Amino acid sequence: SFGEFLPISIENDVYQIFNCLTVCAVAGGDEHQIEFDRVDVKGKVVFKPKKGFECNIYCLDQLRDAVESFGLKGVVFKALGNG
């Protein structure tokens, strides 16, 4: 499991928020660009850094493609690199 969905109620409507529980080691970078340890990322489609930048969630193209193919709403993806 990469995380958990938690229900939240807003004006009598119930939504789900994703709490990412999977972390990966950071190999380098700064607030503008982050580089993850490639070995640690292997097999993880969604993750957050072990230290620094914890408020961000990162994913592989595999997850983005699945979200888009199912037409899910409320998620925004931003490409970070090509490496």
Side-chain angles (χ1 to χ4, degrees), residues 4-47:
E4 61 188 350
F5 286 95
L6 303 172
I8 59 170
S9 296
I10 301 173
E11 296 181 3
N12 296 324
D13 290 322
V14 177
Y15 298 90
Q16 300 288 321
I17 189 166
F18 181 71
N19 179 30
C20 183
L21 300 174
T22 305
V23 294
C24 286
V26 175
D30 58 28
E31 69 270 8
H32 301 290
Q33 184 174 345
I34 189 170
E35 181 182 341
F36 288 98
D37 180 305
R38 291 182 184 268
V39 173
D40 199 21
V41 168
K42 188 173 178 130
K44 300 174 182 174
V45 294
V46 61
F47 47 87

